[in-house]
Amino acid sequence: MSTISTKVHVSGMTCGHCVSAVSEELEALAGVEEIDIDLNAGGVSTVTITSTQKLSPSEIGEAVAEAGYLVVANEA
């Protein structure tokens, strides 16, 4: 089965707890297999989501918002 890699940029994350909160919300989305976060404390962090199906920008944004952060940019 092939996987899809989606990158989003998230603002407001500052620590490991932030990473855990965002990862937990994104892992709850259907098809998500792995989350990799390059934390840029106080700046814009890069979140790479590996999934078995295409995720819509709105569902990613809602999951990140549920964790208390904001998606500032999406990359295909």
Side-chain angles (χ1 to χ4, degrees):
M1 183 182 293
S2 65
T3 58
I4 300 167
S5 182
T6 306
K7 285 189 181 187
V8 294
H9 300 285
V10 178
S11 68
M13 296 169 55
T14 59
C15 64
H17 174 74
C18 302
V19 169
S20 295
V22 170
S23 294
E24 185 177 309
E25 292 297 333
L26 290 171
E27 286 168 352
L29 298 176
V32 171
E33 293 191 333
E34 185 179 351
I35 306 294
D36 181 51
I37 299 178
D38 181 14
L39 179 64
N40 180 4
V44 176
S45 301
T46 302
V47 180
T48 304
I49 306 161
T50 303
S51 60
T52 57
Q53 63 191 44
K54 181 140 178 69
L55 302 172
S56 75
S58 63
E59 69 183 328
I60 294 169
E62 288 170 14
V64 170
E66 186 68 30
Y69 306 96
L70 178 67
V71 172
V72 293
N74 287 319
E75 295 177 19

